[in-house]
Every structure is written in C-alpha cells, then in structure tokens.
Amino acid sequence: MNLALLHDEDLVAADRALIRGRRLQHLQSVLKSAIGDRVPVGRINGPMGTGEIVRLDDDEAELQLTLDQPAPPPLPLTLVLAMPRPKMFRRIIQTCAALGVKDIWLINSYKVEKSFWQTPWLSEPHLRENLTLGLEQARDTAMPQVHVRKLFKPFVEDELPGLLEGKQGLVAHPGTATPCPTHLPGPALLCVGPEGGFTPYEVGKLEEAGCQGVHLGPRILRVETAVPVLISRLFDLCT
Ligand code: SAM
C-alpha cells in the first residue's frame, strides 16, 4: 500500500480522517509509523496528498489531511477482457487498476467456462476491494468502472462499435500478422482473450467491429502477463 485510499465514511471532518483495519495494520506493521509521520493518502475519485498521524491507537489512526495534488492521468484505454479464471481474476483486476485502466469490460467468450461467472470476486464489494488494492499500490485515486457482459454476440454487435468511436481498436491474438503497435498517439480499445484464446469466429467478429488483430511475438503469454505487456507497449507509462 503506497497510498491510503479514503472513503467518504473515513472522513470525520473535511481535513480529518480515521483509518482502521487493513490500512491501520499496514501503518503499524509495514511502515512502522508513529505520531507526527506523514503518509500518502487520497480520496476516492478525488485529490491526493499526505495525512499526518495525529493519534495512533490499537484500533484506529487519526490523520490530519493535506490533499493538494491531482491523481495521475488515466490511461486512454478501454480494456475488453474475456472473463478470466477466478484464480487469476483478482490479480488481473488489481494490475489493471495499478496500471491506470479506468474502463474495463468483462465479456463472455466460447472458452470462458460458465462457472467463472459465479465467482464471488465479481461481487461489488470484492471488485471494489481489489480495485482499491491496485489503486493503493500505484498511488491513484480514480476508481475504474467495471462492466459485465455475459453474451458475446450482442456485446460485439450492439455495443462494441459505439465503444470504438474515436479509438484505435485492437484484439491481441497470437499468430496474427501485425505486431502490437507501440506508443499510440491517442485512445485505444484493446481486447484480450481467455486462457484458451478467442475462437476464429470471435476474432472475425471483433475485426468486423473494427478491431485489428495484433500479436506479441511467438511466445504465448498468460493473460495476467499479456495485459501489462500489451499496455506498456501501447502507452508510455513513464511520462
Ligand atoms: N492458445 C491460446 C491462443 O493461441 O489464442 C492462448 C491464449 S493466451 C493464454 C490468452 C490471451 O492473451 C490471448 O487470447 C491474447 O489475447 C493474449 N496473448 C497471449 N500471448 C499473446 C501473443 N503472443 N500475442 C498476442 N496476444 C497474446
């Protein structure tokens, strides 16, 4: 946790917050914080800055807030992701949040097992928790939006063309002819397939909607690896 993300309910005054639970434990056990220390904090979907620890008990810490910095710029990316296996899901969602992806569409695909959609990690509190962990890791406050579409065809035919307006559309698919571009000049929409890959029919439908097939070379990467590799090729994360 490189920043404590503050929810409205953490604020006891405009410039005072109380933190408990996981974030308090992190202050105590990892940062070994003491009264007078300043720790990085930010308000969800708001500014960031520091919190001076003015009281520290076993149960809570009280912070005096100075929130005077903007969150880092979001990535101009819409990520369309075939629903990953639950075991991977949390980590991928945290990584997406840490990398600055703000618009995530979880879609069905032939090789997505039906049971994946039953995962408790898709529930609102779990999604929020994992997105929060990613934001806290990266020092960001802007909460990503996650959309769930359990039917592939209606999504691709009815919604994808609208999402693609003003964006460069890409579908990452091993074996396609075009290498994944680098340093894109503008916004993009990127589709990433499931563990078993998109079927030829699905790639065809995504291409028909306006996404160009791109590859990352001959090595087949796990989704959790492919996502950060693709994003770091498409955008300069160091600016
Ligand atoms: N056997 C599957 C196939 O050939 O499509 C492998 C799927 S891979 C584990 C999961 C997803 O990660 C792919 O659908 C694709 O979106 C992305 N991916 C992984 N390695 C890739 C590569 N070398 N080029 C392009 N995309 C890749």
Side-chain angles (χ1 to χ4, degrees), residues 45 70-78 96-103 135 139-145 186-188 231 235-237 239:
N45 295 322
L75 273 190
L77 177 70
T78 294
C96 291
L99 288 169
V101 183
K102 301 300 173 195
D103 193 25
L135 294 177
R139 286 200 182 146
D140 190 356
T141 62
M143 188 59 74
Q145 298 292 310
I231 288 175
F235 301 103
D236 190 349
L237 300 178
T239 52

Side-chain angles (χ1 to χ4, degrees), residues 172-174 192-198 214-217 219-221 223 226:
H173 189 57
V192 177
E195 202 174 301
F198 284 125
V214 294
H215 72 81
L216 284 174
R219 295 174 195 278
I220 309 291
L221 305 176
V223 178

Side-chain angles (χ1 to χ4, degrees), residues 58 88 98 100 114 138 157 164:
D58 288 347
M88 311 286 200
K114 279 200 175 67
E157 290 182 352
L164 276 164

Side-chain angles (χ1 to χ4, degrees), residues 164-237:
L164 276 164
E165 268 173 38
K167 303 188 187 85
Q168 180 166 354
L170 303 167
V171 48
H173 189 57
T176 45
T178 309
C180 178
T182 58
H183 299 100
L184 292 188
L189 180 148
L190 170 70
C191 307
V192 177
E195 202 174 301
F198 284 125
T199 64
Y201 166 79
E202 289 169 340
V203 175
K205 292 294 284 181
L206 293 166
E207 284 176 340
E208 219 173 88
C211 299
Q212 181 185 19
V214 294
H215 72 81
L216 284 174
R219 295 174 195 278
I220 309 291
L221 305 176
R222 284 178 189 272
V223 178
E224 68 194 282
T225 310
V227 167
V229 170
L230 287 157
I231 288 175
S232 59
R233 268 185 78 89
L234 296 176
F235 301 103
D236 190 349
L237 300 178

Side-chain angles (χ1 to χ4, degrees), residues 17-184:
L18 291 178
I19 61 173
R20 307 183 177 91
R22 174 183 60 79
R23 290 166 299 164
L24 175 66
Q25 242 182 340
H26 188 86
L27 286 189
Q28 292 171 323
S29 323
V30 181
L31 300 179
K32 317 273 187 215
S33 301
I35 289 178
D37 287 356
R38 288 172 194 274
V39 293
V41 294
R43 286 196 65 177
I44 285 190
N45 295 322
M48 321 193 308
T50 55
E52 181 182 340
I53 303 175
V54 294
R55 183 167 59 81
L56 186 59
D57 304 331
D58 288 347
D59 300 333
E60 60 186 25
E62 186 166 347
L63 306 176
Q64 173 71 42
L65 308 176
T66 308
L67 299 174
D68 53 4
Q69 297 155 35
L75 273 190
L77 177 70
T78 294
L79 181 66
V80 175
L81 189 63
M83 180 62 192
R85 182 176 290 283
K87 203 172 71 178
M88 311 286 200
F89 179 69
R90 287 177 63 214
R91 223 173 316 149
I92 293 171
I93 284 292
Q94 286 181 27
T95 301
C96 291
L99 288 169
V101 183
K102 301 300 173 195
D103 193 25
I104 303 169
W105 294 73
L106 297 169
I107 64 162
N108 197 30
S109 155
Y110 184 68
K111 290 179 187 164
V112 168
E113 289 176 30
K114 279 200 175 67
S115 62
F116 292 2
W117 293 110
Q118 307 307 321
T119 178
W121 297 118
L122 260 183
S123 70
E124 171 61 27
H126 282 309
L127 263 181
R128 192 175 156 94
E129 181 194 345
N130 284 297
L131 293 167
T132 297
L133 290 172
L135 294 177
E136 289 185 337
Q137 171 62 41
R139 286 200 182 146
D140 190 356
T141 62
M143 188 59 74
Q145 298 292 310
V146 178
H147 315 264
V148 173
R149 294 294 182 269
K150 297 185 185 174
L151 294 174
F152 178 85
K153 202 164 166 243
F155 169 74
V156 174
E157 290 182 352
D158 304 336
E159 290 191 274
L160 187 56
L163 292 178
L164 276 164
E165 268 173 38
K167 303 188 187 85
Q168 180 166 354
L170 303 167
V171 48
H173 189 57
T176 45
T178 309
C180 178
T182 58
H183 299 100
L184 292 188

